[in-house]
């Protein structure tokens, strides 16, 4: 029996209580359907870097090309802490042989695209969450998607095909 193909998934999407407010964001398609096809590797950058649940809400601020991760009310800059976690975690994911990743949209750590970046309380642009950006830099060819886009059957099918194709390429390079 062969080893199942592994994909990373934002932990909150798997029903883990890791969100800033302690709430649930379980995605039934990922948990009930993709779990049958793939080995799901949960990652929560906020909890991984030592932040508690619940915790103060955060957002990206400053330059959209190089944003800072800031708590909204306390104005605590968590950028260095998160970047240190990201650097270590993406290297630690290498042995998992990931063939894809599903990120939580709009998250300042896990949002892949169009995450709001602010100056004061004014949105000035968009960027990627710090962890999602680190994964994309370390694994530039890795198929990635945000959970909300998987509601579209064509995008969902395309993602699964890209993951399986990536897996086949990796397997052929090993042998």
């Amino acid at each position: 029996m062969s080893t199942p193909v592994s994909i990373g998934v934002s932990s909150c999407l798997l029903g883990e209580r890791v969100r800033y407010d302690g709430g649930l964001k379980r995605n039934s398609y990922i948990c009930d359907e993709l779990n049958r096809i793939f080995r799901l590797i949960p990652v929560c950058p906020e909890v991984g870097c030592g932040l508690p649940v619940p915790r103060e809400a955060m957002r990206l601020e400053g330059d959209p090309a190089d944003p800072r991760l800031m708590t909204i009310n306390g104005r605590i800059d968590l950028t260095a802490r998160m970047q240190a976690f990201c650097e270590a975690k993406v290297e630690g994911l290498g042995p998992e042989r990931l063939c894809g990743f599903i990120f939580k949209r709009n998250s300042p750590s896990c949002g892949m695209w169009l995450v709001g970046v602010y100056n004061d309380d004014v949105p000035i642009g968009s960027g990627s969450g710090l962890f999602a950006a680190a994964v994309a830099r370390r694994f530039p060819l890795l198929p990635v998607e945000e959970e909300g886009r998987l509601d579209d059957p064509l995008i969902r099918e395309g993602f699964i095909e890209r993951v399986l194709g990536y897996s086949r390429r990796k397997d052929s390079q090993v042998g």
Side-chain angles (χ1 to χ4, degrees):
M1 182 171 173
S2 65
T3 305
V5 173
S6 297
I7 61 172
V9 180
S10 294
S11 297
C12 59
L13 300 174
L14 299 176
E16 295 182 20
R17 287 193 183 272
V18 294
R19 289 181 49 80
Y20 77 97
D21 61 0
L24 290 175
K25 285 292 181 178
R26 183 184 186 277
N27 182 290
S28 60
Y29 178 75
I30 295 169
C31 293
D32 302 336
E33 301 300 325
L34 291 183
N35 192 38
R36 296 178 192 180
I37 304 169
F38 301 119
R39 177 175 159 247
L40 306 180
I41 308 296
V43 178
C44 178
E46 289 95 345
V47 171
C49 79
L51 299 177
V53 176
R55 61 186 164 273
E56 186 179 347
M58 302 173 284
R59 68 182 179 195
L60 299 178
E61 295 186 3
D63 180 358
D66 188 24
R68 312 292 303 168
L69 180 63
M70 301 292 296
T71 62
I72 295 173
N73 295 322
R75 309 299 307 142
I76 298 168
D77 188 337
L78 297 169
T79 309
R81 184 176 185 171
M82 180 60 72
Q83 287 174 333
F85 167 81
C86 292
E87 193 173 310
K89 187 64 178 179
V90 296
E91 289 307 313
L93 287 172
E96 297 290 352
R97 297 188 41 81
L98 292 181
C99 292
F101 210 108
I102 301 171
F103 292 104
K104 175 68 184 115
R105 74 174 165 205
N106 298 327
S107 164
S109 64
C110 286
M112 193 70 228
W113 305 286
L114 301 176
V115 178
V117 179
Y118 296 80
N119 270 344
D120 297 317
D121 285 328
V122 179
I124 59 163
S126 61
S128 295
L130 299 185
F131 180 69
V135 169
R137 279 191 306 275
R138 174 63 176 83
F139 306 104
L141 301 178
L142 186 73
V144 297
E145 199 52 79
E146 289 183 333
E147 96 285 357
R149 289 175 39 90
L150 294 176
D151 292 340
D152 181 313
L154 293 175
I155 292 173
R156 181 172 56 227
E157 182 179 332
F159 175 71
I160 293 170
E161 288 176 3
R162 288 184 293 136
V163 167
L164 295 175
Y166 188 89
S167 175
R168 284 190 296 274
R169 282 191 303 277
K170 281 181 89 159
D171 289 346
S172 69
Q173 293 170 354
V174 171

